[in-house]
């Protein structure tokens, strides 16, 4: 049994930050005080702004001084990014957490990986991970953190699209995306010539290039997966978003096809916001109606 600690999630996070970073975190309600380079508001040209941020704009400084200025500005931006992630995590921390402490090595690597995360949406993902780890230490593997570090905003949007089509089964809680079935060779196959039926996931917002990108960064397994041959009369129980779906296998020699999330993908999936895609669910039920009889 996990011991529940009376300390709140916010208190635990503040204690952790003070112990590991030497200072507490700012309140999430405090205004964003991102460090601005000197003269930032005086430039209209974006290239000049970038030059100022790099430290190369100050021509009156020596080469060594410009390099030092750039490094100082970089450190300030990184510190700002880290503090914004931790401050946002306070908003997601639960009132109560387990008595187990967060692994300090995990937190150290978390901090290092967030230093260069400046996109607001990506910072939000990192904040949710930290809050989740505070609530339940060990929930997110270090491998998942390194996977998220590689993820671009474009890939995060692809994950969001994939999440809208994902479901779980009672037998295996790892989420998956169903897209078709194969009927093993049988008399029915020889008579009808129909052995496979597929959904075009692109119709429901998830393109094949997006699938490949999720495979490339390690969120989906690299190949399409086939279920074992379904037994006639077998009961299927799927959880699609908040809806439960129950069906009975009504045909023999049927194998379902799906994309399956990796362990890292399964850990990250609950963090992205998504709405049920009713059109996809109805299309999937229609596709499978000759092989599975759904209740309701």
């Amino acid at each position: 049994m996990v011991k529940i600690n009376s300390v709140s999630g916010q208190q635990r996070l503040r204690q952790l930050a003070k112990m590991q970073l030497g200072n507490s975190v700012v309140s999430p309600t405090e205004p964003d005080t991102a460090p601005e380079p000197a003269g930032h508001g005086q430039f209209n040209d974006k290239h000049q702004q970038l030059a100022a941020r790099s430290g190369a704009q100050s021509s009156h400084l020596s080469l060594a001084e410009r390099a030092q200025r750039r490094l100082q500005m970089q450190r300030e931006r990184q510190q700002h990014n880290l503090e914004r992630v931790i401050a946002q995590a306070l908003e997601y921390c639960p009132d109560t957490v387990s008595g187990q402490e967060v692994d300090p090595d995990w937190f150290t690597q978390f901090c290092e990986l967030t230093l260069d995360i400046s996109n607001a949406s990506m910072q939000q993902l990192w904040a949710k991970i930290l809050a989740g780890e505070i609530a339940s230490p060990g929930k997110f593997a270090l491998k998942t953190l390194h996977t998220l570090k590689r993820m671009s905003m474009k890939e995060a949007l692809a994950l969001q699209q994939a999440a809208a089509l994902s479901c779980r089964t009672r037998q295996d809680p790892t989420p998956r995306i169903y897209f078709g079935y194969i009927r093993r060779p049988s008399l029915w196959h020889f008579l009808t010539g129909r052995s496979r039926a597929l959904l075009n996931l692109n119709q429901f917002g998830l393109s094949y290039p997006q699938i490949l990108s999720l495979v490339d960064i390690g969120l989906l397994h690299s190949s399409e997966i086939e279920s074992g041959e379904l037994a006639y009369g077998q009961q299927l129980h799927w959880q699609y978003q908040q809806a439960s779906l129950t069906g009975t296998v009504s045909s023999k020699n049927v194998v379902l096809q799906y994309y399956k999330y990796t362990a890292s993908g399964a850990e990250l999936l609950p963090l992205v916001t998504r709405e049920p895609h009713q059109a996809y669910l109805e299309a999937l039920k229609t596709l499978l109606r000759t092989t599975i009889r759904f209740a309701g």
Side-chain angles (χ1 to χ4, degrees):
M1 180 179 294
V2 178
K3 179 182 177 182
I4 302 299
N5 198 302
S6 60
V7 175
S8 72
Q10 288 194 358
Q11 289 173 319
R12 173 64 57 78
L13 179 51
R14 290 182 186 278
Q15 292 171 357
L16 182 64
K18 187 172 183 179
M19 180 176 62
Q20 296 291 320
L21 304 179
N23 62 285
S24 186
V25 293
V26 297
S27 168
T29 59
E30 290 184 21
D32 188 345
T33 54
E36 293 286 352
H40 177 78
Q42 300 174 6
F43 298 110
N44 294 321
D45 185 87
K46 182 170 291 188
H47 293 292
Q48 289 180 312
Q49 293 178 11
L50 291 174
R53 289 173 66 85
S54 71
Q57 187 67 34
S58 303
S59 57
H60 64 282
L61 300 177
S62 69
L63 181 63
E65 289 171 330
R66 293 198 300 274
Q68 184 62 36
R69 181 174 184 272
R70 177 182 59 80
L71 292 174
Q72 178 61 28
M73 293 171 64
Q74 180 186 38
R75 286 193 291 267
E76 289 178 4
R77 287 194 298 270
Q78 289 177 330
Q79 184 67 21
H80 171 75
N81 291 337
L82 174 59
E83 291 186 4
R84 291 307 301 166
V85 168
I86 295 178
Q88 288 185 62
L90 289 171
E91 300 177 351
Y92 299 112
C93 282
D95 292 333
T96 58
V97 296
S98 73
Q100 184 180 356
E101 298 287 344
V102 174
D103 183 350
D105 292 337
W106 185 96
F107 185 67
T108 296
Q109 290 204 44
F110 176 91
C111 292
E112 288 296 321
L113 291 170
T114 58
L115 291 177
D116 295 313
I117 305 299
S118 57
N119 179 277
S121 296
M122 297 304 292
Q123 285 183 346
Q124 186 180 54
L125 277 179
W126 284 94
K128 289 180 178 180
I129 284 182
L130 180 55
E133 189 70 13
I134 292 290
S136 180
K139 183 175 183 178
F140 294 98
L142 286 173
K143 182 178 179 180
T144 300
L145 300 188
H146 287 277
T147 298
L148 181 58
K149 176 69 174 180
R150 297 171 51 206
M151 186 187 300
S152 65
M153 191 60 207
K154 183 177 180 180
E155 290 159 341
L157 291 174
L159 179 61
Q160 189 173 32
Q161 292 296 111
L165 311 183
S166 302
C167 70
R168 303 171 188 267
T169 68
R170 183 177 295 178
Q171 296 78 12
D172 184 358
T174 303
R176 56 190 65 183
I177 304 170
Y178 286 100
F179 63 88
Y181 71 86
I182 295 176
R183 194 183 297 273
R184 299 297 190 195
S186 64
L187 178 60
W188 184 90
H189 167 225
F190 287 117
L191 291 176
T192 64
R194 187 182 182 191
S195 61
R196 190 179 188 189
L198 300 174
L199 280 181
N200 179 6
L201 296 180
N202 189 53
Q203 291 181 311
F204 309 104
L206 183 63
S207 68
Y208 190 62
Q210 287 178 313
I211 292 173
L212 291 180
S213 70
L214 295 177
V215 169
D216 184 58
I217 62 173
L219 298 183
L220 289 178
H221 285 286
S222 59
S223 59
E224 302 170 354
I225 296 178
E226 296 180 0
S227 69
E229 191 170 298
L230 302 180
Y232 182 81
Q234 177 181 342
Q235 292 290 310
L236 300 176
H237 303 277
W238 295 345
Q239 186 68 34
Y240 176 73
Q241 311 292 352
Q242 303 303 317
S244 296
L245 194 62
T246 302
T248 303
V249 179
S250 58
S251 184
K252 297 180 179 180
N253 312 115
V254 173
V255 174
L256 299 181
Q257 291 185 295
Y258 56 88
Y259 295 105
K260 188 174 182 178
Y261 288 85
T262 62
S264 294
E267 289 182 4
L268 291 176
L269 195 63
L271 303 180
V272 300
T273 57
R274 75 271 195 195
E275 296 293 333
H277 203 309
Q278 195 62 35
Y280 163 75
L281 182 59
E282 293 303 321
L284 181 63
K285 291 168 65 175
T286 299
L287 183 80
L288 300 176
R289 63 185 176 185
T290 61
T291 61
I292 300 174
R293 185 174 62 254
F294 289 102

